[in-house]
Amino acid sequence: MSSKLIREDLRSLFHKQPGVDEKIGLEIEIAVLDRDTGRSLPYEGQRGMRSLLEAFVRDGIGQPAYKGELLTQVDMYDGAKITFEHGGAIEYCSPVTHNLIKLIVTMQQSLRRLAETASTLNLALVPGGIFPFNTVENANWMPKPYGKFMREHFTALGDPGSGGEQLMAHTISAQTTLDYTSQEDLICKLRTSVSLTPIVVALFANSPLEDGESSGSLSRRTEHWFKTDPRRSGLIPSALQEEVTIDDYIDWALNNQVIFYATDGEYKSGEGLTFAAVLAEGFPDGRYPTLVDWRNHLCQLWPDVRTRETIELRAPDGPPFEAIAAVPAFWVGILYHRPSCDSVWQLLKDCTIEQHQVARADAARQGLSAQYCGKPIASLAKEVIRLAEEGLQHRINLGLEDPKVLEYLEPLKTIVETGKTFAESCIENWNGSLMRSPARFVETYRIK
């Protein structure tokens, strides 16, 4: 019988050996929509998620992966992985790379190939922040074995969990994964990226429609997060402190409930126990947690910035396909250039938790018109984009990037110059040239 985990075991997941490379990864959730109705599809059926994954295999895109008889994943030959998500989305998980050019070129080529296969089933792949024409009532729940435990958890929370099902069934995003080289480097990147959240929400807002109508929000996805167990999502309060440590993050994780765990391949409910409790007394079935359980528990936490062996940057809505490159370019420019990372922290470090929370909510509804710490988000966004550009230019000077990467920030510069977010352009198009037609919407925003 293995011994109980101790504090140092928990900390070991965050330990880095000297000489760690800083690599870049990208995870993009993409709505799979009927090209005529704009609605998502179920797992089964002639044009369901399983049929789409089978078509990817049939077209020579990758190898299938199964859990029992359930087709869950396609491992692409270029190293990417395609899985399915609740609501009827696929998730593209890129191979990690050392530079943005390789990451983006590979991503664009892969997604265009996936979209070409989807079109043979009269389906479209549409990035963004939300399923624009679905409701919770007609959501397509995918056969994920732990999904029922998450839904039960949100129901048990009452009002604080009332947005959980909407989030699971409706929202999509574009997440960047970066490395840290030491605990000190982790803290620098963690507090800077957390402090940036309201600005990032505004810059990348792209989820204004819900059930075919304007929701009154530019980032409806962000608003759903407000009622998706606030204890484990959104802001990590300690991350806004000058002297935050990895132990603060560990304490926060320990005090959150285990939603589900696996024993002998079978998923079971955590029955409301915190990880601190199961660490001391074991899971409900009597088994004591391992490092695998600790890692899985960290996956059940959904802050805007999540850390394990890497840093996952989760705040942005997914942009339109042509602008997806702006997401990793923004984060790499700031977080992989220490002077830019430090400058952003100095710019925002005096903001209180309360100011951060208010600004995040205001940014979701008002975009660049919102205020953060008494300053217009529009002016703050202009400055942090400049710092991101400085960071990318430094990497170009070192020979780590091609000069073309500076072009990846152009969509963000346009947003700041015009004051018009992706979401506001979407609403304008929906009520104008798209004539409120789901088919026109899908044709405009699908990957081609």
Side-chain angles (χ1 to χ4, degrees), residues 163-178:
E165 284 201 348
Q166 285 91 337
L167 189 93
M168 291 174 66
H170 284 169
T171 65
I172 50 180
S173 65
Q175 301 176 13
T176 304
T177 300
L178 300 182

Side-chain angles (χ1 to χ4, degrees), residues 213-377:
E213 298 292 339
S214 174
S215 66
S217 173
L218 300 180
S219 179
R220 185 62 170 152
R221 169 181 167 271
T222 298
E223 291 196 324
H224 285 318
W225 274 118
F226 296 153
K227 290 193 173 182
T228 304
D229 192 351
R231 295 171 301 181
R232 71 178 67 229
S233 60
L235 172 68
I236 309 167
S238 61
L240 293 181
Q241 299 171 6
E242 183 82 38
E243 302 301 325
V244 62
T245 68
I246 194 58
D247 284 300
D248 295 321
Y249 190 89
I250 290 172
D251 287 339
W252 171 75
L254 285 170
N255 290 320
N256 265 288
Q257 295 175 347
V258 176
I259 299 178
F260 59 88
Y261 66 100
T263 297
D264 297 328
E266 180 184 354
Y267 287 97
K268 300 179 180 180
S269 171
E271 298 184 8
L273 296 173
T274 65
F275 201 89
V278 301
L279 202 62
E281 303 169 11
F283 287 114
D285 64 7
R287 181 175 69 81
Y288 281 91
T290 65
L291 270 180
V292 171
D293 295 307
W294 173 234
R295 185 180 285 106
N296 288 341
H297 176 62
L298 294 176
C299 292
Q300 296 174 38
L301 307 174
W302 313 300
D304 296 317
V305 183
R306 182 166 68 183
T307 183
R308 291 169 292 176
E309 292 93 341
T310 56
I311 298 176
E312 300 171 19
L313 302 151
R314 302 161 47 85
D317 286 353
F321 177 65
E322 296 77 11
I324 288 176
V327 181
F330 175 84
W331 287 121
V332 166
I334 290 173
L335 298 185
Y336 276 0
H337 181 234
R338 187 57 181 266
S340 292
C341 187
D342 288 339
S343 294
V344 170
W345 174 243
Q346 291 301 316
L347 180 68
L348 301 172
K349 70 175 185 177
D350 294 330
C351 297
T352 66
I353 291 173
E354 292 74 20
Q355 287 174 318
H356 182 283
Q357 291 173 325
V358 169
R360 181 169 171 257
D362 289 347
R365 298 190 69 80
Q366 303 169 24
L368 296 176
S369 299
Q371 300 271 318
Y372 184 19
C373 304
K375 300 176 182 178
I377 282 184

